[in-house]
Amino acid sequence: MADAVNMVHVSTRRHRQQQFRRRMENTVTSPATVTSRSPQRPSDVVMQTPSTPPDAVRAAVTAARAAGMQWSREPASRRAEALDAAADRLAAASDELTALVVREVGKPIGEARAEISRGVAILRYFAQQAYAPTGATHAPSTHGLLFSQRRPHGVAGLITPWNFPVAIPLWKAAPALAFGNAVVLKPSPAATATATHVMTILADALPERLCRLVPGDAETGAALAQAADCVSFTGSATVGKQVARAAVASGAPAQTEMGGQNASIVLPDADPLSAARHVATSAFSYAGQKCTATRRIIVVGNNNAFIDAFIAIVEELTLGDPADSSTMVGPVINEFAQGTVLHAAAHATRDGGRILTGGGAPYGEGWYVSPTVVDGLAPDHDLCREEVFGPICTLLRVPDEQAALRIANSVRYGLVTGIYTRDLDRALDLVDGIDTGLVKVNAATTGVDFYLPFGGTKDSSSGPREQGTAAQEFYTQLRTVTISPSSG
Ligand code: NAD
């Protein structure tokens, strides 16, 4: 209740002031430098470094392209060995890197450690992908040999967000390198120190100039999107669309992985406690700062058993210092994000929503927001349609599955949907009707298997899928080779 009262005081004016301060005070970045601060202790500046100007981005791409030419001619075994060596180095740096991820982006320590392990697994997996078939042979129309062959593009420009500062750069860089490209990474300003550490590990295991880091923000990213030979972006839908346009203008293939407004649909026959646990994890682990986080919980029928269990679990989530292993919900990334979530909660109550739990900012130095659940909004309210990247979700009550399906599909995003039921027929029926790129039955919407294709529909993604064997399609282009007998 105190939280709800606290929340009401966060006015639109304060939010605007925060927006203005963020621009003026270099909370995250200014055109000349990038600064990352620890979200749990904003006075702790983790890294400050000059932004890379556009000319220097183009120079980095040119240098990487030359190194990439050599690299693309190396045998697959050499590429596989180098990626394996990078995996060894990453594993050896796990403790140090875990601590840095916790400090720089406020990720709870258990999740941070798991992300480094995932990074190691990604490198090992793509080390083996270097041996994947690169084409197919065909019967020639006359005599000789006719085959298709996948070849690298040259320089892969990678533009990444801060929320998976190890895994996302690696799930782009590892396949790019495995298939013979050079990489230039433009990380989020808020994760510059982690990106620097990861790229140093990669660079140490690979030939000189093949892996480059260009710290910076929008200007640096825009320059990379124009200069690279293919562009892989992960971030918000607004920026993703700009990046895709820049890449198309320069003729480079692009893939963009963007936001979500993900629904978890709870059917009346679902196991209430198990569903409540999964949905609470989906909505609030890492303070809801995952593209796959559940933002809307669509409850079919009268299911107070689920709702009561869910709210009880959310109220027991430990909010606190991400370095403490008992913490499940740490801070949000910066003051602007904190203001955005609080403002969204205030806006929702003004429009008739009811805060079931949370809604406020606990006191203390860090950028914390209590896990917040809003009930009673119309499905077309902004909070149910647009992505608010933090610990806030809405509860929507519907009479039947058809209404659940219609509402789940009614947003511009299409990343992931969760379905909770014990009835396989109903699950299959809903899976058929859902229009998102991933569907999960009785499992959290968060969590991605790096060995399967990953991506969404509508405004959540564009271009070929990332990860798994699908990555080869994006990081290479096909050519056809015809060899006829010399005396034909
Ligand atoms: P963001 O869009 O603000 O920034 C992403 C990257 O783009 C950063 O490196 C940023 O510096 C860069 N950038 C900003 N303006 C640019 C421009 N004009 N040209 C080129 N680059 C530019 O996103 P964020 O705040 O870092 O991350 C949060 C967002 O990422 C959320 O929307 C979340 O859903 C999304 N996300 C998506 C996935 C996915 O796989 N679908 C995964 C993680 C995060």
Side-chain angles (χ1 to χ4, degrees):
M1 190 60 192
D3 269 356
V5 174
N6 188 8
M7 172 273 300
V8 174
H9 293 304
V10 180
S11 65
T12 305
R13 203 165 113 242
R14 178 165 163 222
H15 183 61
R16 282 207 209 97
Q17 283 167 348
Q18 282 177 339
Q19 270 181 293
F20 181 70
R21 262 210 316 272
R22 177 188 181 231
R23 278 189 222 113
M24 302 311 291
E25 276 181 5
N26 187 27
T27 303
V28 172
T29 187
S30 78
T33 59
V34 285
T35 305
S36 69
R37 288 172 189 274
S38 183
Q40 50 274 25
R41 257 176 304 282
S43 55
D44 173 16
V45 173
V46 182
M47 187 165 184
Q48 186 156 48
T49 190
S51 286
T52 316
D55 278 357
V57 172
R58 289 188 279 274
V61 168
T62 304
R65 195 174 281 125
M69 296 275 274
Q70 288 282 106
W71 178 244
S72 66
R73 289 168 179 228
E74 295 285 357
S77 57
R78 165 84 181 96
R79 283 182 264 135
E81 279 162 21
L83 288 172
D84 259 334
D88 293 342
R89 284 166 195 254
L90 185 65
S94 175
D95 287 349
E96 205 183 327
L97 203 48
T98 299
L100 183 57
V101 169
V102 172
R103 181 179 166 211
E104 191 173 40
V105 298
K107 183 166 285 198
I109 188 163
E111 288 201 63
R113 191 172 294 287
E115 186 176 340
I116 317 298
S117 302
R118 173 141 67 122
V120 173
I122 288 168
L123 284 165
R124 297 218 191 282
Y125 172 80
F126 283 109
Q128 294 308 300
Q129 287 292 305
Y131 296 113
T134 54
T137 54
H138 296 257
S141 47
T142 55
H143 296 288
L145 188 57
L146 180 64
F147 59 96
S148 62
Q149 186 185 39
R150 289 203 165 270
R151 310 245 303 153
H153 294 289
V155 177
L158 314 178
I159 302 173
T160 54
W162 48 266
N163 65 335
F164 285 90
V166 175
I168 294 181
L170 286 177
W171 82 47
K172 294 178 188 299
L177 292 162
F179 302 126
N181 298 279
V183 301
V184 177
L185 171 69
K186 207 301 288 165
S188 164
T192 307
T194 306
T196 304
H197 203 325
V198 169
M199 285 305 270
T200 305
I201 286 171
L202 269 186
D204 285 351
L206 288 149
E208 233 183 306
R209 291 204 287 269
L210 193 65
C211 296
R212 309 296 295 258
L213 180 76
V214 287
D217 198 359
E219 189 187 38
T220 307
L224 182 58
Q226 283 162 13
D229 302 316
C230 68
V231 180
S232 181
F233 168 89
T234 298
S236 62
T238 311
V239 175
K241 285 183 179 182
Q242 292 170 23
V243 166
R245 275 198 295 273
V248 165
S250 74
Q255 67 182 182
T256 60
E257 292 302 336
M258 301 173 283
Q261 231 304 354
N262 312 305
S264 280
I265 301 173
V266 183
L267 296 185
D269 73 322
D271 176 332
L273 197 55
S274 167
R277 283 202 196 101
H278 282 304
V279 176
T281 302
S282 305
F284 297 119
S285 58
Y286 191 25
Q289 300 175 112
K290 298 180 182 177
C291 56
T292 49
T294 290
R295 309 272 176 222
R296 294 171 295 160
I297 305 161
I298 304 180
V299 181
V300 180
N302 242 339
N303 197 342
N304 288 337
F306 164 76
I307 295 173
D308 292 348
F310 173 65
I311 297 298
I313 290 169
V314 173
E315 288 184 339
E316 275 174 18
L317 296 174
T318 326
L319 183 90
D321 185 344
D324 183 335
S325 59
S326 66
T327 295
M328 165 108 177
V329 184
V332 293
I333 191 68
N334 56 33
E335 189 182 8
F336 178 74
Q338 185 191 45
T340 302
V341 180
L342 293 172
H343 176 68
H347 189 77
T349 23
R350 199 196 61 201
D351 293 345
R354 206 160 54 89
I355 308 269
L356 297 185
T357 186
Y363 298 106
E365 195 198 347
W367 290 309
Y368 288 93
V369 183
S370 314
T372 302
V373 182
V374 185
D375 192 10
L377 289 175
D380 62 352
H381 188 273
D382 269 4
L383 188 56
C384 308
R385 287 154 49 102
E386 293 304 323
E387 181 186 58
V388 174
F389 207 60
I392 185 164
C393 67
T394 57
L395 195 69
L396 299 166
R397 300 162 195 252
V398 298
D400 54 42
E401 284 154 54
Q402 288 322 306
L405 195 58
R406 199 175 54 250
I407 289 170
N409 286 343
S410 68
V411 294
R412 69 182 175 113
Y413 294 104
L415 193 53
V416 56
T417 307
I419 298 166
Y420 293 89
T421 178
R422 285 186 257 218
D423 182 333
L424 186 59
D425 286 348
R426 293 168 101 181
L428 287 173
D429 203 40
L430 278 174
V431 168
D432 269 355
I434 288 293
D435 68 359
T436 52
L438 295 103
V439 189
K440 293 185 158 191
V441 178
N442 298 324
T445 53
T446 49
V448 167
D449 297 309
F450 62 82
Y451 46 94
L452 264 84
F454 173 74
T457 60
K458 302 190 280 187
D459 276 359
S460 289
S461 288
S462 72
R465 292 290 188 239
E466 291 204 281
Q467 308 192 48
T469 51
Q472 193 196 41
E473 188 192 331
F474 178 69
Y475 287 107
T476 57
Q477 55 192 323
L478 263 180
R479 75 173 176 187
T480 303
V481 180
T482 307
I483 301 178
S484 296
S486 57
S487 54

